[in-house]
């Protein structure tokens, strides 16, 4: 996925603080780890369950390939300045995932590799000015091309863990885990702040249309009251200099390792395995993410 985009690679960097070149390196390494996991699977194993039922491993891998193609569409929008939806529709998105889920592992691996190369080519095609242009994702948030690189990194890492094939949230590089936590917390804070104001969480040059927030994948089954979704919660990682509140107020302080916090916040560990609260009360249900 290497290749120059022009400039020094730092102008137009993302919210993670990484430059374009650093993001490319992180994406290359993440994709290599995922490819290694996929190479160790059999055709029978790609039909096994994942951390996000009812999706199988084939669903997750197909989703990763099609999500990457959707980011390519957004990059084309950034390149041309013309609004291009991330997906034609959510129904079409779901149909594509279902259609590809039962393929042999070799076909899934080839699809993943092809989508990665298309993403790299879309980045190489961007003129310098396009790196400052914002496009609107299906969730309604806006991102620059560097932000889309971060989105892809987040997708690769979380869905790699979702495969439940040996790679866990604890295996995600620490710096990437901290950024993903920051990204999720910021998204939740925007959602809480904007619920009764109609405020747009974006900004800058927007070439996309608004879309209602929708989940990126089936959520693990867990009871969720409206109170648990809206309660203020502060998270503090015990293994890193990280503490963020995603809603103001007097909610519980949830403590634990970054990896356990990430699994909880993304709904992969709704009971909060490995976590505790500062006041000794039970760990609340995680808030709805995307």
């Amino acid at each position: 996925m290497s290749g120059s985009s022009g400039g020094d690679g730092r102008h137009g960097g993302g919210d993670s603080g990484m430059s374009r070149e650093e993001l490319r390196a992180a994406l290359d390494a993440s994709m290599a780890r995922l490819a290694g996991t996929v190479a160790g699977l059999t055709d029978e194993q790609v039909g096994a369950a994942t951390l996000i039922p009812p999706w199988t491993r084939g669903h997750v891998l197909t989703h990763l390939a099609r999500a990457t193609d959707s980011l390519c569409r957004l990059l084309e929008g950034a390149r041309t300045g013309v609004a291009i939806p991330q997906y034609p529709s959510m129904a079409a998105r779901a149909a594509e995932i279902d259609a590809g889920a039962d393929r042999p592992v070799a076909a899934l691996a080839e699809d993943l590799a092809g989508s990665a190369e298309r993403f790299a080519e879309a980045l190489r095609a961007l003129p310098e000015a396009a790196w400052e242009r914002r496009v609107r994702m299906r969730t309604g948030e806006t991102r620059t091309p560097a932000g889309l690189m971060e989105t892809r990194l987040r997708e690769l890492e979380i869905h790699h863990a979702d495969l439940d094939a040996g790679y866990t949230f604890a295996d995600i590089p620490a710096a990437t885990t901290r950024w993903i936590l920051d990204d999720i917390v910021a998204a939740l804070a925007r959602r809480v702040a904007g619920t009764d104001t109609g405020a747009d969480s974006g900004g800058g040059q927007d070439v996309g249309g608004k879309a209602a927030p929708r989940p990126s994948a089936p959520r693990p089954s867990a009871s969720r009251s409206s109170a648990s979704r809206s309660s203020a919660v502060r998270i503090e990682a015990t293994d890193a200099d990280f503490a963020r509140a995603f809603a103001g107020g007097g909610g519980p302080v949830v403590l634990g390792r970054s990896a356990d916090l990430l699994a909880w916040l993304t709904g992969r560990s709704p009971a909060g395995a490995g976590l505790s609260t500062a006041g000794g009360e039970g760990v609340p249900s995680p808030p709805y993410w995307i």
Side-chain angles (χ1 to χ4, degrees):
M1 291 179 60
S2 61
S4 175
S5 64
D8 64 3
R10 293 197 172 271
H11 184 58
D15 292 337
S16 64
M18 287 188 280
S19 69
R20 297 178 206 167
E21 293 307 318
E22 289 168 335
L23 282 167
R24 282 193 188 87
L27 284 170
D28 284 346
S30 183
M31 184 62 192
R33 289 191 293 271
L34 175 62
T37 295
V38 175
L41 297 176
T42 66
D43 288 345
E44 181 180 20
Q45 288 171 332
V46 295
T50 67
L51 299 185
I52 45 175
W55 276 9
T56 67
R57 289 169 178 156
H59 284 92
V60 171
L61 294 173
T62 300
H63 163 64
L64 273 170
R66 300 290 74 77
T68 305
D69 286 340
S70 81
L71 296 180
C72 290
R73 288 190 284 272
L74 294 179
L75 288 173
E76 177 65 8
R79 186 184 71 82
T80 63
V82 175
I84 300 176
Q86 185 175 0
Y87 291 98
S89 69
M90 296 308 293
R93 171 182 176 271
E96 283 188 332
I97 294 169
D98 285 339
D102 293 333
R103 292 175 293 171
V105 66
L108 291 164
E110 183 179 3
D111 193 11
L112 276 174
S115 66
E117 182 51 41
R118 288 189 291 274
F119 185 77
E121 180 56 36
L123 290 174
R124 289 192 289 266
L126 291 176
E128 191 61 33
W131 287 89
E132 299 304 318
R133 190 170 287 146
R134 302 186 77 89
V135 294
R136 190 174 292 274
M137 302 184 67
R138 67 173 182 81
T139 56
E141 67 179 308
T142 63
R143 296 216 170 193
T144 63
L148 296 179
M149 294 172 76
E150 292 169 333
T151 296
R152 173 158 165 75
L153 180 60
R154 184 188 72 192
E155 290 280 295
L156 284 171
E157 290 296 336
I158 290 178
H159 287 313
H160 191 173
D162 283 339
L163 292 176
D164 197 19
Y167 190 84
T168 71
F169 282 94
D171 294 313
I172 300 174
T176 300
T177 295
R178 286 192 291 273
W179 171 74
I180 296 174
L181 281 169
D182 246 338
D183 187 57
I184 293 173
V185 166
L188 292 169
R190 286 194 301 269
R191 188 173 306 152
V192 170
T195 296
D196 57 0
T197 64
D200 179 8
S201 63
Q205 186 170 357
D206 175 16
V207 299
K210 289 188 176 181
R214 298 290 299 273
S216 64
R219 296 279 288 184
S221 58
S223 60
R224 269 180 164 66
S225 67
S226 59
S228 71
R229 289 196 298 270
S230 61
S231 295
V233 177
R234 173 174 168 152
I235 62 175
E236 292 189 9
T238 56
D239 59 347
D241 182 16
F242 178 94
R244 297 289 185 272
F246 58 73
V253 177
V254 179
L255 307 169
R257 296 186 310 150
S258 296
D260 294 331
L261 287 167
L262 184 56
W264 173 70
L265 268 183
T266 56
R268 275 62 175 175
S269 177
L275 302 179
S276 62
T277 58
E281 63 267 52
V283 176
S285 296
Y288 192 77
W289 176 33
I290 54 176

